[in-house]
Amino acid sequence: TPARSPREPSRAFFPQETGEMSRLPYSYVGVPLSKEPFDKVNVEAFLDFYCPFSAKATPTLFELSKLENVSVRVIPYPQPWHWEGGIIATCFNIINEKKVHWEKKADCFKQLMAAYQTFKQEGKEDIAGIKKVAFKIIGDVTKTEESYLGTAFYNDDSPGPQRRLKNQIKYGRTNAIHETPTFMVNGLVVNASSSWDIEKWTQFLEPLLKEASCGSASK
């Protein structure tokens, strides 16, 4: 079995403003690519918008999200050597400030990932340009005014986009994740690769999918 039996994914613990330790809501750290927030088989992908290998894995993750009993969630996870990734991830997290349908979040994610691979190839790495592209994509998908996006970018209040990014990074560090892409299945890091296609993923998850299917049939 590639991962532990299906259950709600592991949740990291972080200090809150009260100084106490409490659970970080699962929905807080990731972006769903599937309808169910979590299912019997949960795949979490830690991706960097400026990482070519993260971009390579993205189409397969969308295919994976369509499988029965599978939930896929993306964790924006910029690498220290990709300073641009942090800016993009912060912009992307703005959509969590508004009640945006999960499909729109997924659409934003897909467009941002594609746009910044082209952006990087063209050598456009200025902060203003990066934010402009992100605001255009997010604004078009969510029908949000650019003035709001600009103000929200600097909001460090809880749960502001920068605070959300900090918690996403803490969530990854808690699970000893240091590079992208990295994948977790039902709360455990697995040795998956960006080169895996949907057939490879399905084969890898087969024991869990079979168990999930049997459990559904017995009810």
Side-chain angles (χ1 to χ4, degrees), residues 147-196:
S147 58
Y148 171 84
L149 297 172
T151 301
F153 181 87
Y154 295 102
N155 174 22
D156 196 31
D157 295 334
S158 180
Q162 294 187 35
R163 180 71 59 85
R164 191 178 296 273
L165 178 59
K166 291 174 185 176
N167 285 332
Q168 288 162 345
I169 292 173
K170 288 179 181 179
Y171 181 65
R173 294 292 187 260
T174 300
N175 288 287
I177 292 171
H178 300 288
E179 59 185 32
T180 57
T182 296
F183 306 93
M184 292 174 61
V185 176
N186 286 354
L188 293 178
V189 176
V190 296
N191 191 28
S193 165
S194 62
S195 64
W196 283 19

Side-chain angles (χ1 to χ4, degrees), residues 31-34 62 92 95-96 98-112 137-144:
V31 179
L33 300 188
S34 46
F62 275 93
F92 180 69
I95 67 174
N96 288 304
K98 302 172 71 67
K99 292 184 177 180
V100 178
H101 192 272
W102 71 269
E103 288 182 325
K104 290 186 179 294
K105 292 182 181 181
D107 188 20
C108 275
F109 166 74
K110 181 188 292 185
Q111 290 192 47
L112 285 171
I137 291 173
I138 296 170
D140 287 349
V141 173
T142 65
K143 308 303 180 186
T144 303

